[in-house]
Amino acid sequence: MTEKPITEFPRNASTADGRGAYCRPCHAKAAKRSRERARAKYAEMVALLSPSDRARLGIAD
Ligand SMILES: [Zn+2]
């Protein structure tokens, strides 16, 4: 097995925001989608909480 210099590999290729996987415009779009998904998931989670859980977590109704 031949070792290659680390510089041949894109940075954070295994992460969701993987550098090298997207050009800038695509990366921005992917990040926006990811934020929207996270926000929707959060709203969904909050909707399932009881009032006491919301109070405990400091989430206002
Ligand atoms: Zn692109």
Side-chain angles (χ1 to χ4, degrees), residues 22-27:
Y22 297 110
C23 66
R24 278 180 180 277
C26 288
H27 179 85

Side-chain angles (χ1 to χ4, degrees), residues 37-53:
R37 271 202 304 276
R39 195 177 300 137
K41 210 176 170 88
Y42 177 79
E44 206 172 278
M45 184 271 282
V46 167
L48 295 172
L49 292 174
S50 67
S52 63
D53 282 334

Side-chain angles (χ1 to χ4, degrees), residues 1-58:
M1 185 172 153
T2 310
E3 293 215 8
K4 291 187 177 183
I6 196 75
T7 50
E8 283 192 29
F9 295 90
R11 288 164 72 186
N12 300 325
S14 62
T15 65
D17 68 347
R19 276 186 169 215
Y22 297 110
C23 66
R24 278 180 180 277
C26 288
H27 179 85
K29 274 186 227 164
K32 189 167 185 277
R33 276 201 302 275
S34 170
R35 276 198 303 274
E36 282 165 2
R37 271 202 304 276
R39 195 177 300 137
K41 210 176 170 88
Y42 177 79
E44 206 172 278
M45 184 271 282
V46 167
L48 295 172
L49 292 174
S50 67
S52 63
D53 282 334
R54 289 183 208 190
R56 186 166 50 82
L57 295 168

